[in-house]
Amino acid sequence: MACKITAKTSITGLVGNPIEHSLSPIFQNRLCEIFNIDSIYLPFNVAQGDLEKIIKAFKALNIKGFNVTIPYKTDILNFLNEVSDEALLMESVNTVRINKGKLYGFNTDGLGFIRALQSQNVKVKDKNSVILGAGGAARAAAIKLAQHGCKRIVILNRTEDKAKNLADMVNRKIADIAVSDELSEESIKKYAADCDIVVNTTPVGMSPNEDNCPVSSEDIFINKPVIFDMVYNPIKTKFLNIAETNLCKIINGMGMLIYQGISSFEIWHEVNVPLSIGEELKSDLEEYFTQMQDFK
Ligand code: ATR
């Protein structure tokens, strides 16, 4: 029999809107297969105003847990019984576990980011970093870089106030190592001169605007920093292409996507996913994604 769903199959899933383009169901269900876990991961496109109804239904249906994405990552806080310290620091929740009718909130975005760096053997301790952007993804990156002993974090953002608020939070709550400035060609050049890791958390360069790039000068690559672009569509952004030409180590956003999902999977199913499986999933997903793009 081909159908693998049984009367005991547990359910996890993704809550958001829109979610049609999400890659999470692909690799989450693959993880269930790899670990031989009798569980299925489903997409739930939830209309504005329906979150409360969905949560009640999930409890009634004994759903095991779910990921939360845009636009519900902060709204979900209203329905949780407990929130992890990490999620409180992130001010958002991307993973919920339901146990005996109670909802427990977590945030695995930062963990996904740091595991993606570790998977490429990038060390953070005592390094200088620059983060482009100051939204939710930048918050996850800044918190993790600070927690892992980064020496300096420079946060550059189009709206300077937001960069300052994020830097202040890091300095207050984790370590006094963050500074902020307005995002500009000059500021990137200035801070990148002695920097080891540059992280782009803005959507600049994301499809359908592939020709855009956070920088136009190649000077920022002189010190050969690791360039991490959280964008994964396209797999290799213009920013990464230029960095690679300038012999920098490059990391795209696929690893972070996979590892935040793996961290959620570990919470729901109480297993440890080894790095080798994470890396295998990442290359499978990159191949799948490239094929899908070719079909368009
Ligand atoms: P995410 O959760 O993915 O971080 P977000 O919270 O909406 O999304 O944050 C997006 C970040 O990208 C912000 O820092 C935003 O800058 P502003 O705070 O000035 O809005 C930044 N961003 C978005 N579009 C940008 C662009 N075209 N150029 C530069 N920065 C941009």
Side-chain angles (χ1 to χ4, degrees):
M1 272 203 289
C3 179
K4 290 181 189 149
I5 294 175
T6 71
K8 289 186 195 153
T9 304
S10 70
I11 301 172
T12 58
L14 172 66
V15 165
N17 187 348
I19 53 167
E20 290 81 3
H21 299 293
S22 172
L23 296 172
S24 295
I26 312 262
F27 70 83
Q28 288 289 353
N29 285 313
R30 178 79 188 111
L31 276 168
C32 292
E33 256 172 43
I34 293 171
F35 281 85
N36 206 12
I37 291 175
D38 189 6
S39 190
I40 184 169
Y41 183 97
L42 299 169
F44 296 101
N45 201 338
V46 175
Q48 289 281 352
D50 277 353
L51 189 59
E52 189 167 6
K53 274 192 266 177
I54 291 294
I55 300 300
K56 273 194 185 147
F58 278 6
K59 282 190 199 174
L61 290 168
N62 207 14
I63 301 274
K64 194 162 189 165
F66 54 96
N67 282 129
V68 187
T69 188
I70 290 168
Y72 301 121
K73 287 173 91 165
T74 47
D75 293 357
I76 192 71
L77 284 160
N78 299 319
F79 305 103
L80 303 177
N81 297 90
E82 272 181 39
V83 183
S84 72
D85 290 344
E86 176 102 341
L88 287 173
L89 207 51
M90 300 280 178
E91 294 180 346
S92 78
V93 162
N94 79 332
T95 305
V96 177
R97 181 169 177 180
I98 307 180
N99 195 11
K100 296 185 182 134
K102 290 216 158 63
L103 271 71
Y104 301 87
F106 305 85
N107 191 309
T108 64
D109 289 332
L111 215 46
F113 169 71
I114 208 76
R115 286 175 86 169
L117 278 175
Q118 287 165 346
S119 75
Q120 300 306 304
N121 296 315
V122 176
K123 304 270 182 293
V124 164
K125 193 161 169 39
D126 297 326
K127 298 288 161 85
N128 289 331
S129 61
V130 173
I131 297 177
L132 313 181
R139 191 177 177 93
I143 287 170
K144 279 293 155 201
L145 289 173
Q147 286 176 339
H148 282 75
C150 216
K151 189 161 75 186
R152 188 189 68 187
I153 304 174
V154 180
I155 301 165
L156 304 176
N157 196 43
R158 185 175 59 181
T159 313
E160 202 181 336
D161 274 2
K162 274 168 70 179
K164 185 176 180 317
N165 289 342
L166 181 52
D168 286 349
M169 185 281 292
V170 169
N171 292 336
R172 235 184 15 254
K173 297 200 173 167
I174 308 170
D176 196 1
I177 52 161
V179 295
S180 63
D181 209 334
E182 190 179 348
L183 177 65
S184 68
E185 193 76 37
E186 292 71 41
S187 66
I188 299 179
K189 236 192 249 180
K190 174 175 156 195
Y191 295 108
D194 65 343
C195 129
D196 309 290
I197 307 168
V198 178
V199 186
N200 175 42
T201 74
T202 77
V204 176
M206 189 191 285
S207 174
N209 301 307
E210 283 105 330
D211 288 339
N212 293 352
C213 183
V215 293
S216 59
S217 149
E218 298 190 7
D219 291 1
I220 80 149
F221 305 116
I222 288 171
N223 199 40
K224 304 281 171 264
V226 173
I227 305 291
F228 189 123
D229 197 332
M230 287 193 185
V231 174
Y232 59 82
N233 182 13
I235 299 263
K236 207 185 276 179
T237 57
K238 186 172 179 186
F239 189 33
L240 291 186
N241 263 312
I242 304 174
E244 190 174 49
T245 310
N246 281 276
L247 306 177
C248 297
K249 187 181 186 89
I250 61 167
I251 306 175
N252 67 28
M254 204 57 101
M256 181 171 173
L257 174 75
I258 294 275
Y259 285 107
Q260 60 78 34
I262 282 179
S263 303
S264 304
F265 184 88
E266 290 174 335
I267 289 171
W268 301 320
H269 300 297
E270 295 177 3
V271 293
N272 289 319
V273 180
L275 189 69
S276 56
I277 291 186
E279 290 305 286
E280 185 189 313
L281 279 183
K282 190 173 72 186
S283 58
D284 287 354
L285 200 64
E286 283 184 354
E287 198 181 311
Y288 166 85
F289 188 70
T290 309
Q291 280 171 7
M292 296 302 289
Q293 301 309 101
D294 290 346
F295 268 117
K296 280 188 181 169

